[in-house]
Amino acid sequence: MKGHSAGCFGEVLIPLQRHKAHRSVNETPCVAVDYDDLSGTATSLEAANVDTVICAFGMESDAVSEAQVNLIHAADMSKSTRRFVVSGYDMLFQEAHIPIVPIAKWTLAAIHAVEKTKLEYTRVVNGLFLDYYGLPHWSSHLKPWVNAVNPAGKWAVLPGDGSAPVNFITSQDMARFVVRLMDLPEWSPVSYIAGQTTTFQKILQLAEDARGERFSVKYERLEDLRKGRISFPEFYKTGLESTGQSSESIFALFHYLSSTGGYTIVSDDTLDARFPDVKITTAAEVIQSSWRGR
């Protein structure tokens, strides 16, 4: 494939040269752009001969969503750019999810925008990240978040009975699959990553085993979760509170989606199947390496 790929982080476009996967970040050329300046951003993409834009914005506000939509338009204007990976890396958000979680409207705004362009595009659907069960000991750029089990605090709040199947993957493994996407001659509008299918109940067992003691555990009714209530002993700020929802309601609704199939990959056409050589890190490996003996 000719040209470069570009990853987008904050206010910087980072052209990633093909076949040089081992270059350090410090050796990667960075180009600062103003996402409000569509023509200027398009010119920067052309100057760097960017073939593919991989957007990795943290979707936390309308402003960030607007920046991604602007970047899509700029990529469409660029003569060198033909592909765009929409920033998602989450569940398969649909219109029905918009009243429930704010991220859905931002993902779909990007999808609606890119559908109107000449760009070939995809969005990555990968379930939940295992990184959260290893923080702060697991190397990750993700902010703290609780998906049912908090190994650091030795507590868990499981949606329902904790037995719903959920797909998990580390952010590092997800990134490896995104890199392999560049090798596919054609993209589907949705790129699924199955990772490991397990349950919150099994995650809890792994965490208790690693830490060597029983956790404080509560089982939350799905109806309470749907109404925005969850019995966490403490809440992390999510960055999504600017939408008017409380931290409690945000966590509750994400857990409701987790327990009702939102984070279960049902497609057989996955990147795992296309690239079986990519080794998946398991929940056991993340939790044991992060918490054993601590």
Side-chain angles (χ1 to χ4, degrees):
M1 187 176 81
K2 68 179 181 178
H4 301 160
S5 299
C8 313
F9 304 88
E11 295 301 315
V12 179
L13 285 176
I14 307 176
L16 305 172
Q17 291 190 353
R18 295 299 311 282
H19 311 304
K20 294 188 178 181
H22 299 293
R23 298 178 70 199
S24 72
V25 172
N26 291 336
E27 294 175 333
T28 303
C30 298
V31 181
V33 298
D34 177 358
Y35 293 118
D36 290 329
D37 181 1
L38 271 62
S39 61
T41 301
T43 298
S44 295
L45 290 169
E46 290 180 12
N49 194 27
V50 172
D51 176 274
T52 302
V53 174
I54 305 170
C55 194
F57 293 158
M59 303 308 296
E60 296 183 347
S61 68
D62 290 337
V64 176
S65 174
E66 183 179 352
Q68 178 170 218
V69 170
N70 286 347
L71 181 57
I72 289 170
H73 293 317
D76 191 38
M77 294 167 60
S78 167
K79 294 182 176 64
S80 65
T81 308
R82 65 185 181 92
R83 284 176 148 184
F84 196 102
V85 179
V86 173
S87 187
Y89 318 105
D90 210 295
M91 65 173 281
L92 184 63
F93 287 120
Q94 301 176 17
E95 297 289 341
H97 296 126
I98 291 178
I100 302 176
V101 290
I103 290 178
K105 67 176 180 179
W106 299 325
T107 298
L108 292 168
I111 296 299
H112 295 328
V114 76
E115 285 176 338
K116 298 175 183 177
T117 70
K118 67 178 185 302
L119 298 167
E120 183 180 22
Y121 73 92
T122 192
R123 59 168 156 161
V124 175
V125 171
N126 55 253
L128 296 176
F129 287 116
L130 287 171
D131 302 38
Y132 299 118
Y133 301 115
L135 294 176
H137 307 296
W138 184 261
S139 178
S140 178
H141 294 288
L142 300 182
K143 295 180 179 180
W145 182 277
V146 177
N147 287 324
V149 181
N150 186 338
K154 300 180 183 178
W155 57 262
V157 178
L158 306 188
D161 62 2
S163 66
V166 180
N167 288 83
F168 294 92
I169 194 165
T170 64
S171 61
Q172 293 89 349
D173 288 343
M174 183 275 293
R176 293 185 183 99
F177 278 117
V178 172
V179 170
R180 297 299 292 275
L181 261 176
M182 304 303 106
D183 296 326
L184 292 179
E186 294 182 358
W187 285 354
S188 299
V190 179
S191 296
Y192 293 97
I193 303 174
Q196 178 187 10
T197 304
T198 188
T199 67
F200 289 130
Q201 188 66 258
K202 292 179 181 178
I203 294 286
L204 171 61
Q205 293 169 2
L206 289 170
E208 288 181 331
D209 178 67
R211 302 230 60 187
E213 60 183 282
R214 295 293 184 184
F215 287 12
S216 172
V217 181
K218 179 177 176 57
Y219 295 87
E220 201 75 81
R221 296 191 315 145
L222 299 189
E223 181 61 19
D224 289 334
L225 294 173
R226 189 183 65 82
K227 293 178 179 179
R229 298 195 296 267
I230 191 167
S231 303
F232 277 12
E234 58 181 334
F235 291 96
Y236 294 107
K237 288 292 183 181
T238 67
L240 303 175
E241 288 80 8
S242 62
T243 61
Q245 291 179 279
S246 67
S247 298
E248 179 181 4
S249 66
I250 291 167
F251 277 108
L253 291 169
F254 272 103
H255 280 70
Y256 175 76
L257 291 173
S258 299
S259 61
T260 54
Y263 286 95
T264 305
I265 306 299
V266 296
S267 174
D268 292 328
D269 183 15
T270 64
L271 296 184
D272 313 59
R274 289 174 178 259
F275 303 110
D277 59 302
V278 178
K279 181 183 180 297
I280 295 296
T281 309
T282 66
E285 290 170 328
V286 171
I287 293 171
Q288 289 173 6
S289 65
S290 300
W291 294 107
R292 180 70 69 185
R294 289 190 166 98

